[in-house]
Amino acid sequence: MKHLRHTTALTVIAAAVGGMLLAPGTAHAADQDFHITINKEGVRIHVVRAQNMSPVVHLRAKGSETRVLTIKDFSYEASDSSSTEGSFTSTSGPVKLEKLGVYSVDLEYRGTEGEPLVRKEATTLNYTPEPVFDEVTTSKTVSLDSLGTTVETVLRGLDPRDGKLTPLGGAKVSISAGGKSTTASTDSAGRLKAPVAFTGTEPTARIHMEHTNASGLTGGSDTDAPIDRQPVRIDLDAASRKVSAPYGNAVRINGTLKRVAADGTLKPVATAMKLTRTASKPVLFNSSPEGRFSVSAKAPADTTFKVSTGIQSWLDQKAFAPVEVDITSGVSYYGQSGEYLGSGNIPVVYFNLTPSTREDPGTTPPARGPFEIQFSKTGSTWTTRKTFTAEFGKGFNQTIAGENGYWRVRYVGKDLGQSTSAPVHVARAKTEIPEFNAHPEPVKRGGQLTVVGKVRELGTTTPAHGNVDFYFRATGTTTWVRVGYTGAADDGTFTRKFTVRRSGDWKAVFSGDLYNTRYLPSESRVDTVEVTG
């Protein structure tokens, strides 16, 4: 068991100065820029600019105007950090008072021009017994087979006047562990004994206990229960012990992860895992509740991958399963690919890529080769939509009118393997504007016309989100003019007001956002509005 620390929260109350609510130590517009804190160890004032404040601190019982202590003696230390150059900190000695309680802290000091200033209620001192957790223990080691333990402690109050510890009987303690919080009370001797349980997925078996006294002073304790890490067994599928792929393509590795329980039986486990190779960033993944895992990764050359558990506290991280990787001749692609909306509101898929090759020893690489653009509705069965040739080591720019589904480039030569690029996924929803109205009709010249409507995905009740453009065509003309736009609300509705002077036709066009790759545009019906007067 590792007992980490005791923590104490100091209650600080904001002060109202000159009718403005300010955080403790926040300066006025022409004031010193400082921050003040206080506890039983002393007063600490951090000044941002290096004017001499000549601070004097007065303490008085909360709600009383009678001063009970004045602090004038401070030591000064200049900041040695370049980011706070010109700043310094004033520190007093320990604060000693005769009576326990909550005290208001008033500050007298010199302003930036040397003028005397007073900050009433600059901060607050909670001079009451500090809650301290002593003798913290846990009853046993936890593991994935035994996730529960019992935490025990003695809660005492530390008197700031003389440092004496007094048991806090009948005190309520908040206990947090395993993502859950419970409350337990100490007995008359301040002792507490409470069960805690973990899930086996936490980064540590940490137990946090906290108590706040009647005056608002909080003390806490963090304790790590010891964990018995269980051994693991990583079984690769037969086809994953040695894998092969053309250069530029990913290999896939499948297997099962099991832990060795205390009784020696093997049990599947869901946990974080990683795939590593020398001098490369690890690939992170997770096993399923059945212990199964599947991960893919690329390698630039023949290598050995290691499959192991990821960073966690419940399982042994030393065990790993090696995977031999054989990279054959192939093609790799570098560059950008994606899609955009072309003319006629048709998606266009583009591939701005540079193909490179890796050949087996003793072979001569080709200077150029045949490629094709392939399409798949689901990403499994592919058909060829376009063929072209390109030089290796030089970029090509290929485009094709797209539809919803997956698009990729594949090398189809026989000498380098049929390597493919990363697929581009096109997933644009058709939209419609089933509701559109411009009112009032008719409208007086120079008056306000309100245009309202609603946009959604075609044939559904799902709202579409993005920009709606408004177009006007004056009576007697044939040209539509864009006159404004607005954004569709979360429910797909939109509205916009216009000052009108001519009769004519109105319509709305949904275009999505600036980088929209989610929708296909749509238009509303045309609403004709007569302008009178």
Side-chain angles (χ1 to χ4, degrees):
M1 178 206 61
K2 186 179 181 182
H3 188 197
L4 297 182
R5 69 178 187 274
H6 293 296
T7 58
T8 301
L10 174 67
T11 302
V12 179
I13 302 174
V17 183
M20 183 182 297
L21 186 65
L22 300 174
T26 301
H28 301 289
D31 201 350
Q32 295 268 29
D33 187 1
F34 66 89
H35 179 74
I36 179 172
T37 58
I38 184 172
N39 57 28
K40 62 184 178 63
E41 303 300 331
V43 181
R44 182 181 176 89
I45 306 172
H46 179 74
V47 187
V48 176
R49 293 184 300 274
Q51 285 85 358
N52 182 13
M53 290 184 67
S54 301
V56 177
V57 171
H58 304 286
L59 274 68
R60 51 189 172 82
K62 192 73 175 175
S64 171
E65 293 299 322
T66 302
R67 294 173 178 174
V68 298
L69 180 66
T70 295
I71 302 173
K72 298 181 179 180
D73 295 330
F74 286 88
S75 61
Y76 302 91
E77 181 180 357
S79 172
D80 56 1
S81 171
S82 60
S83 62
T84 57
E85 185 177 356
S87 302
F88 66 90
T89 301
S90 305
T91 306
S92 77
V95 176
K96 293 294 184 181
L97 296 165
E98 291 184 5
K99 295 182 179 180
L100 298 174
V102 178
Y103 291 84
S104 296
V105 179
D106 300 333
L107 176 64
E108 294 181 7
Y109 60 101
R110 296 288 178 181
T112 56
E113 302 298 328
E115 71 278 18
L117 297 173
V118 176
R119 180 70 60 86
K120 296 278 286 186
E121 299 277 357
T123 187
T124 301
L125 170 63
N126 194 326
Y127 198 71
T128 57
E130 171 190 343
V132 176
F133 290 87
D134 281 337
E135 304 173 30
V136 182
T137 61
T138 54
S139 60
K140 65 183 183 68
T141 298
V142 294
S143 71
L144 290 177
D145 289 323
S146 181
L147 292 167
T149 188
T150 299
V151 62
E152 296 186 49
T153 188
V154 179
L155 179 61
R156 298 185 175 98
L158 178 65
D159 194 317
R161 297 170 297 183
D162 53 19
K164 291 183 178 180
L165 291 167
T166 303
L168 298 180
K172 290 186 177 181
V173 176
S174 172
I175 305 172
S176 301
K180 296 181 179 179
S181 295
T182 58
T183 301
S185 296
T186 61
D187 63 17
S188 58
R191 293 191 173 276
L192 178 143
K193 185 177 181 179
V196 295
F198 300 94
T199 63
T201 59
E202 299 88 353
T204 63
R206 179 155 298 176
I207 303 167
H208 177 74
M209 293 181 291
E210 191 172 283
H211 169 69
T212 302
N213 69 16
S215 298
L217 188 61
T218 299
S221 171
D222 286 319
T223 299
D224 282 342
I227 298 176
D228 181 15
R229 291 176 179 263
Q230 293 190 337
V232 297
R233 196 171 92 179
I234 304 170
D235 293 323
L236 298 174
D237 293 355
S240 293
R241 294 164 193 163
K242 185 174 183 179
V243 294
S244 178
Y247 173 68
N249 284 250
V251 295
R252 180 159 292 278
I253 301 165
N254 303 305
T256 303
L257 174 68
K258 294 181 179 180
R259 63 183 176 91
V260 182
D263 59 4
T265 59
L266 296 175
K267 297 183 178 181
V269 60
T271 190
M273 301 187 69
K274 62 182 178 180
L275 179 72
T276 57
R277 65 180 176 87
T278 303
S280 68
K281 185 178 180 180
V283 178
L284 306 179
F285 59 102
N286 291 281
S287 59
S288 71
E290 296 75 31
R292 290 293 297 170
F293 62 83
S294 181
V295 59
S296 64
K298 290 183 179 182
D302 297 349
T303 189
T304 299
F305 282 137
K306 291 182 179 180
V307 179
S308 62
T309 57
I311 298 175
Q312 41 73 48
S313 298
W314 299 88
L315 298 170
D316 176 30
Q317 297 183 45
K318 297 178 182 178
F320 67 89
V323 180
E324 292 185 42
V325 181
D326 178 28
I327 300 299
T328 61
S329 297
V331 178
S332 183
Y333 303 87
Y334 301 91
Q336 294 183 336
S337 55
E339 65 104 351
Y340 60 89
L341 203 62
S343 60
N345 295 327
I346 296 175
V348 175
V349 181
Y350 66 89
F351 297 95
N352 295 332
L353 302 174
T354 299
S356 62
T357 64
R358 178 185 183 274
E359 302 79 23
D360 289 329
T363 61
T364 302
R368 57 192 299 112
F371 295 85
E372 61 186 17
I373 295 177
Q374 293 186 314
F375 171 75
S376 173
K377 274 288 186 185
T378 62
S380 56
T381 302
W382 298 84
T383 58
T384 300
R385 292 293 182 87
K386 182 179 181 180
T387 60
F388 63 95
T389 59
E391 293 185 50
F392 292 107
K394 293 186 178 181
F396 61 76
N397 184 3
Q398 292 288 328
T399 60
I400 188 170
E403 61 184 272
N404 285 354
Y406 297 85
W407 297 82
R408 71 182 186 185
V409 170
R410 185 178 73 151
Y411 175 75
V412 292
K414 296 181 180 180
D415 47 353
L416 292 174
Q418 297 185 340
S419 302
T420 60
S421 67
V424 174
H425 187 201
V426 180
R428 289 182 178 269
K430 294 181 178 180
T431 61
E432 60 180 346
I433 304 177
E435 302 174 19
F436 179 73
N437 186 40
H439 66 89
E441 299 180 52
V443 61
K444 291 184 178 181
R445 190 179 310 279
Q448 290 283 303
L449 181 74
T450 301
V451 181
V452 298
K454 187 173 186 178
V455 59
R456 68 188 183 190
E457 295 184 14
L458 182 64
T460 73
T461 59
T462 303
H465 306 107
N467 288 337
V468 178
D469 297 306
F470 299 102
Y471 288 83
F472 173 71
R473 181 177 60 189
T475 300
T477 67
T478 59
T479 302
W480 287 97
V481 178
R482 181 177 179 273
V483 291
Y485 75 96
T486 191
D490 289 343
D491 62 356
T493 59
F494 57 85
T495 182
R496 176 71 189 267
K497 293 181 181 294
F498 294 93
T499 300
V500 294
R501 302 191 181 279
R502 301 179 65 183
S503 299
D505 300 326
W506 293 82
K507 71 176 179 179
V509 177
F510 175 69
S511 57
D513 57 44
L514 181 62
Y515 302 105
N516 176 38
T517 58
R518 183 176 174 183
Y519 300 109
L520 290 173
S522 57
E523 291 189 10
S524 71
R525 70 179 183 90
V526 174
D527 194 1
T528 302
V529 177
E530 180 184 358
V531 175
T532 61

